[in-house]
Amino acid sequence: MADDKTRILDQVREYHRSRAGGEFVPGVTPVLASGAALDEDDRVALVEAALEMRIAAGVSSRRFEREFARMFTLRKAHLTNSGSSANLLALSALTSPQLEDSRLVPGDEVITVAAGFPTTVNPIIHNGLVPVFVDVELGTYNTTPERVAAAIGPRTKAIMMAHSLGNPFAVAEIAELAEQHGLLLVEDNCDAVGSTYRGQLTGTFGDLATVSFYPAHHITMGEGGCVLTDNLALARIVESLRDWGRDCWCEPGEDNRCFKRFDQQLGDLPHGYDHKYIFSHVGYNLKSTDLQAALGLTQLSRIEEFGDARRRNWRRMREALDGLPGLLLPEPTPDSDPSWFGFVLTVLPDATYDRRDLVAFLESRRIATRRFFGGNLVRHPAYRDHEYRIAGELTNSDLITEHTFWVGVYPGLTEEMIEYSIDSIREFVLKNS
């Protein structure tokens, strides 16, 4: 059987090599904004997990959680089925009755940014909390500690925001601000795995942090996400919410880790009710699978390689596009080293061309573009009937909605592709200026 498995996996490697891509043809080969960088080890890992029928969370999932937490020097990582689910779990954990007086309750406020992706905001609303939207600054596309401080009110209990396109917000200062005011902090680190602020990895400053493993992100499991924390009490709540809300913490296949499976009394249940079927939270089933984790493990070994490629591609674009009229180029947050998710461009309002025409030109050349996610989320119909508060003006968020987009720098882009993107942007801008 072992020989059969080895033979199959060797054939998988041969198959992968036979599928190698052809030459880059400008204007024909798509230059994607994001995507997974997959090699033969990734393909073999998926097939091996399938051969062993590891279809639920198991040994690979547990191993990935340990290794991923160790990378961040945090105590716990819990895999989920998506980064969106990770955000939902992280914020929902802060509403647990087990946190007693420090729990978030309906009507409490959570500070977030207006310009971003909905899944950072939606868990706030889903839990009956009130998002407080603050503006961002152009260039870094993050908010500032000053804006956050000005937004704090008597009902404010937490801060939840993302590191924009891999560029860290001033997380050390905002974490300090949260501590001073007794606020909880959730870092949405989905776009920023490997980024650092003041030499420290993002995702390690808050009470909880989240990661996405969607193909667009720094490493992929196809789908998948993770919640990280150094707080064991919060970790236990996250696990319970992820696993149907159950009180039991046995691993799959285990039956009595606490040695009190039939010797407890919780709630109004009879003494001795099976602990595997006692629920302490109104939870979900948001687990991942071993197929996903097997892929994640091979990807995990390449995080540094992927980050180097993202930084290299971003630097090349930044240097080559510097000084072009009408374009505001991105800037890293001071004291940060971003592992960039994309290269963001804002066409200035007084430019002699507009964003729409530049984007149309790039798309006609098969260079994929993306908007800065939802732009100003307050302007979307989804939030029209929900309670929220705006702190200050959202001038830059509105400008981003009209004038900002980004192109790819992910590791799957070759040097030729990056140069083609640069040449295309330069050609359009110089022709229309």
Side-chain angles (χ1 to χ4, degrees), residues 122-238:
N122 294 351
I124 301 170
I125 294 171
H126 288 156
N127 281 282
L129 307 167
V130 178
V132 177
F133 292 108
V134 296
D135 206 2
V136 299
E137 59 180 4
L138 300 177
T140 68
Y141 300 93
N142 286 303
T143 195
T144 60
E146 293 76 19
R147 287 183 173 93
V148 173
I152 296 172
R155 295 288 296 178
T156 306
K157 296 295 178 64
I159 302 166
M160 183 174 183
M161 59 182 64
H163 300 287
S164 294
L165 285 173
N167 194 17
F169 58 82
V171 61
E173 291 88 341
I174 289 176
E176 183 179 354
L177 193 64
E179 184 175 1
Q180 290 171 353
H181 292 269
L183 308 179
L184 296 159
L185 173 61
V186 179
E187 285 180 78
D188 182 335
N189 201 45
C190 290
D191 292 351
V193 172
S195 297
T196 62
Y197 185 75
R198 295 187 180 177
Q200 182 176 333
L201 283 171
T202 56
T204 62
F205 291 84
D207 296 283
L208 293 152
T210 61
V211 173
S212 173
F213 301 124
Y214 189 70
H217 292 275
H218 286 62
I219 62 172
T220 188
M221 293 183 180
E223 295 284 356
C226 193
V227 182
L228 292 154
T229 186
D230 215 32
N231 184 313
L232 292 180
L234 288 176
R236 179 69 195 94
I237 294 167
V238 167

Side-chain angles (χ1 to χ4, degrees), residues 149-324:
I152 296 172
R155 295 288 296 178
T156 306
K157 296 295 178 64
I159 302 166
M160 183 174 183
M161 59 182 64
H163 300 287
S164 294
L165 285 173
N167 194 17
F169 58 82
V171 61
E173 291 88 341
I174 289 176
E176 183 179 354
L177 193 64
E179 184 175 1
Q180 290 171 353
H181 292 269
L183 308 179
L184 296 159
L185 173 61
V186 179
E187 285 180 78
D188 182 335
N189 201 45
C190 290
D191 292 351
V193 172
S195 297
T196 62
Y197 185 75
R198 295 187 180 177
Q200 182 176 333
L201 283 171
T202 56
T204 62
F205 291 84
D207 296 283
L208 293 152
T210 61
V211 173
S212 173
F213 301 124
Y214 189 70
H217 292 275
H218 286 62
I219 62 172
T220 188
M221 293 183 180
E223 295 284 356
C226 193
V227 182
L228 292 154
T229 186
D230 215 32
N231 184 313
L232 292 180
L234 288 176
R236 179 69 195 94
I237 294 167
V238 167
E239 183 177 12
S240 174
L241 286 167
R242 182 195 65 178
D243 298 1
W244 305 284
R246 67 179 189 166
D247 198 73
C248 175
W249 56 84
C250 286
E251 299 286 356
E254 287 186 333
D255 284 333
N256 197 14
R257 177 180 285 200
C258 65
F259 300 107
K260 297 190 295 183
R261 179 180 171 187
F262 301 109
D263 190 26
Q264 297 190 68
Q265 197 284 314
L266 295 173
D268 294 325
L269 294 166
H271 182 272
Y273 197 88
D274 189 345
H275 191 222
K276 289 179 71 69
Y277 294 96
I278 296 177
F279 300 91
S280 52
H281 292 94
V282 179
Y284 313 90
N285 178 6
L286 301 177
K287 298 189 299 300
S288 60
T289 70
D290 250 30
L291 285 168
Q292 293 167 273
L295 175 57
L297 283 167
T298 58
Q299 288 268 295
L300 188 57
S301 65
R302 302 177 68 193
I303 280 184
E304 186 173 349
E305 170 197 339
F306 290 159
D308 289 345
R310 289 175 177 276
R311 291 176 174 96
R312 182 172 60 250
N313 291 339
W314 188 93
R315 281 196 301 270
R316 175 59 191 143
M317 295 197 78
R318 186 64 178 75
E319 292 165 0
L321 300 178
D322 191 33
L324 284 180

